[in-house]
Amino acid sequence: MSGNFIIKLILPKENKSFPSKVFSCPSVRKIFVNIRPLNEFDSSAIDEHDLDQAEKNILLRRRENNIPTIRNILKRLELNKTSSEDVDKLKNELLKLPNDTHPRLWTYENRPKETLLCDQSKIGTKSVEFSQVCKFNNMLRMHQLGNYTGQKSYYLFGKLAELEQALIRYTLSILKQKQFRLLAVPDILPKHIIEGCGMPTDGDRNQVYKLDSGDCLSGTSEMSLAGYYSNKLLKENNLPIKVAAVSRCYRAETSGLQEEKGIYRVHQFTKVEMFSICSELEAHDMLEHFKDIEIDIFKNLNLHLRLLDMPPTELGASAYEKYDLEAWMPGRQMWGEISSCSNCTDYQAKRLNIKYITNEGQNKWANTINGTATAIPRLLIALLESNQKGKYVLVPDVLKDYLNTSILTKEKLIPEVKLVKQIKSKE
């Protein structure tokens, strides 16, 4: 196929299950014309240059390259335009295309660009590790829970449980000042909402818990918030929309790494999420806004921070650009990710059918931004390891009113539990 070869394909009119909303890759904008339904779409707009650009983007992000498969399907469809089987295969392959990549990231390879947001001299100081602090103060239990919660579960007690609630309330107070609207969201979602956000639900390596009903447990309230706006046509005058939610998050991921022991990586946890729907012209500035909010939240907790501008290999499927925020954990002597925020451009909006109508009456795809305002477990680790003074853990000033104390004190001894083997009765 030459560089100027044009693939001519008109999808059969009777195929109603081939919506344009499922696609997004700005490097092949000519393939997926804004708003126009694909069952009315003449694929003469697809040429080799478009496919080459999409392939370069896939290789840059080190994702599975399915462009050769797409080319083969298009060749077959050129010969048999009414093949519903190939049309379905093409749809499935196009769904795998990742978002485009911001040009500033093209030279990053697999290394993030780091910006230190604290005094370098503070890094390297040693403190007591989180689990030891909790053991001394009777604040946490993770062991001997296998019979009823399984591994990677935990109980918080006393002041540590109160600290979780204090962090939530403190975070929400800041988001309220920033004009976010708070929503309470469901934790059980249909799989198409989760997949529409860029998270696969099938395969051996996915992170999603699936229920017998076919629905899934949400991995983040970003999914519920995005789902709330699915199939909606918004007005430009009402953009940007900024919403937030507190929810439990469920992740099937596991890790055997020593540095990720304890509550650093668990199967369920509480998180405060920020989410925005905006126009394409507002998207990058909204990402910067989310990043600045996150930095403000954590700096007030006496944490030592660094900002990572993430490379293409760390963007997943949906992100066009992404920041990670890490805190120094002096008890573990490591940097640990405590937050991130991503600009997903129109990737999620096209899959979930979120549009807005401009003041001139034109329909356009919306853009979506997401960010973690507070993820409790890792934030607790960073807090307890960064605010030690002698044998005590000091409460940051911004949390004192929520906890009614300036020091985390030792709890009364919590009764131990023992793991008892289950004995099956003989029939």
Side-chain angles (χ1 to χ4, degrees):
M1 298 173 69
S2 69
N4 295 322
F5 184 83
I6 300 293
I7 302 169
K8 293 185 180 293
L9 166 66
I10 299 179
L11 299 176
K13 292 182 179 179
E14 65 271 20
N15 182 19
K16 302 297 185 181
S17 61
F18 203 65
S20 61
K21 66 184 181 182
V22 296
F23 307 116
S24 179
C25 186
S27 65
V28 284
R29 289 284 187 195
K30 289 196 297 181
I31 299 178
F32 310 130
V33 180
N34 198 29
I35 299 303
R36 191 176 181 184
L38 277 186
N39 58 2
E40 302 173 2
F41 177 59
D42 181 350
S43 71
S44 61
I46 304 177
D47 61 26
E48 275 297 292
H49 175 74
D50 302 325
L51 295 175
D52 286 344
Q53 290 299 107
E55 189 167 34
K56 288 179 181 179
N57 184 57
I58 290 172
L59 297 176
L60 180 68
R61 295 165 79 111
R62 297 187 183 179
R63 298 186 66 83
E64 180 182 354
N65 184 10
N66 64 332
I67 295 297
T69 302
I70 292 174
R71 285 192 171 105
N72 288 333
I73 296 173
L74 288 170
K75 284 182 181 179
R76 294 199 300 269
L77 282 170
E78 186 183 9
L79 299 175
N80 182 7
K81 298 179 176 61
T82 60
S83 172
S84 60
E85 181 181 353
D86 279 334
V87 167
D88 288 339
K89 287 181 179 179
L90 179 60
K91 171 184 173 181
N92 290 332
E93 291 303 321
L94 291 173
L95 277 167
K96 298 176 184 177
L97 291 176
N99 204 341
D100 204 7
T101 305
H102 195 292
R104 78 168 184 280
L105 310 179
W106 292 352
T107 60
Y108 283 24
E109 296 181 349
N110 62 345
R111 296 183 300 274
K113 182 178 180 181
E114 175 187 331
T115 302
L116 196 64
L117 303 177
C118 64
D119 185 350
Q120 178 68 45
S121 65
K122 302 292 184 181
I123 307 304
T125 57
K126 183 69 176 176
S127 66
V128 181
E129 194 267 330
F130 173 79
S131 63
Q132 295 302 313
V133 175
C134 292
K135 183 177 181 179
F136 176 79
N137 289 288
N138 300 319
M139 292 178 173
L140 171 72
R141 175 169 296 146
M142 289 194 72
H143 64 286
Q144 295 183 328
L145 303 179
N147 271 358
Y148 47 101
T149 64
Q151 300 300 316
K152 295 292 182 179
S153 298
Y154 61 93
Y155 282 80
L156 305 180
F157 301 120
K159 288 298 181 184
L160 195 58
E162 291 181 35
L163 181 57
E164 176 182 59
Q165 299 305 313
L167 286 168
I168 294 170
R169 293 170 62 193
Y170 158 66
T171 301
L172 292 179
S173 70
I174 292 180
L175 297 186
K176 186 176 179 180
Q177 294 173 13
K178 302 294 183 179
Q179 305 303 310
F180 280 80
R181 177 188 176 199
L182 182 62
L183 276 68
V185 299
D187 294 331
I188 299 176
L189 298 173
K191 62 180 293 184
H192 77 270
I193 294 295
I194 294 176
E195 291 174 346
C197 290
M199 178 72 71
T201 62
D202 297 317
D204 296 333
R205 300 187 65 181
N206 75 81
Q207 302 177 13
V208 179
Y209 282 110
K210 291 193 287 189
L211 306 178
D212 292 340
S213 64
D215 291 334
C216 304
L217 295 180
S218 176
T220 167
S221 57
E222 167 200 342
M223 299 170 177
S224 297
L225 294 169
Y228 176 78
Y229 289 97
S230 63
N231 297 314
K232 283 187 170 59
L233 178 62
L234 307 168
K235 294 181 179 180
E236 184 176 18
N237 287 340
N238 294 332
L239 300 182
I241 292 171
K242 299 194 300 182
V243 290
V246 182
S247 74
R248 294 291 279 178
C249 303
Y250 301 89
R251 309 280 178 87
E253 61 188 346
T254 59
S255 172
L257 298 176
Q258 179 65 18
E259 60 265 29
E260 295 187 352
K261 66 181 180 179
I263 67 170
Y264 188 91
R265 190 178 298 278
V266 289
H267 287 316
Q268 55 182 325
F269 58 94
T270 302
K271 180 157 73 87
V272 183
E273 183 77 0
M274 302 180 290
F275 186 76
S276 177
I277 297 176
C278 57
S279 72
E280 63 273 23
L281 297 178
E282 297 169 321
H284 179 74
D285 288 343
M286 184 60 68
L287 177 69
E288 296 295 316
H289 178 53
F290 275 31
K291 177 198 70 177
D292 293 342
I293 290 173
E294 292 171 355
I295 292 172
D296 288 344
I297 289 172
F298 301 127
K299 274 193 170 182
N300 289 331
L301 299 176
N302 305 329
L303 303 182
H304 306 308
L305 306 172
R306 71 174 180 182
L307 178 71
L308 302 180
D309 190 8
M310 301 306 288
T313 54
E314 297 294 332
L315 298 180
S318 60
Y320 174 66
E321 53 181 334
K322 175 186 176 186
Y323 293 117
D324 277 6
L325 202 57
E326 295 185 338
W328 177 249
M329 299 177 176
R332 299 182 176 221
Q333 288 291 289
M334 60 172 271
W335 290 100
E337 179 192 340
I338 59 171
S339 181
S340 67
C341 54
S342 300
N343 174 8
C344 296
T345 62
D346 57 10
Y347 181 93
Q348 295 174 333
K350 283 187 173 180
R351 291 166 174 250
L352 297 174
N353 196 26
I354 307 172
K355 305 172 187 175
Y356 73 95
I357 184 168
T358 67
N359 296 329
E360 292 75 31
Q362 181 184 4
N363 285 0
K364 287 190 173 183
W365 296 113
N367 279 220
T368 59
I369 315 296
N370 66 77
T372 300
T374 294
I376 294 300
R378 294 183 188 179
L379 190 52
L380 290 178
I381 294 173
L383 263 176
L384 266 64
E385 292 187 2
S386 300
N387 288 277
Q388 296 178 16
K389 186 173 183 179
K391 296 182 179 180
Y392 300 103
V393 176
L394 304 181
V395 175
D397 290 341
V398 293
L399 299 179
K400 287 179 181 178
D401 289 342
Y402 299 106
L403 288 167
N404 294 318
T405 184
S406 59
I407 298 175
L408 296 185
T409 55
K410 189 171 185 177
E411 297 297 319
K412 293 181 179 179
L413 186 63
I414 306 298
E416 290 289 338
V417 295
K418 294 183 179 180
L419 187 63
V420 179
K421 292 183 178 179
Q422 296 179 351
I423 302 176
K424 294 183 177 179
S425 59
K426 296 182 179 181
E427 297 182 354

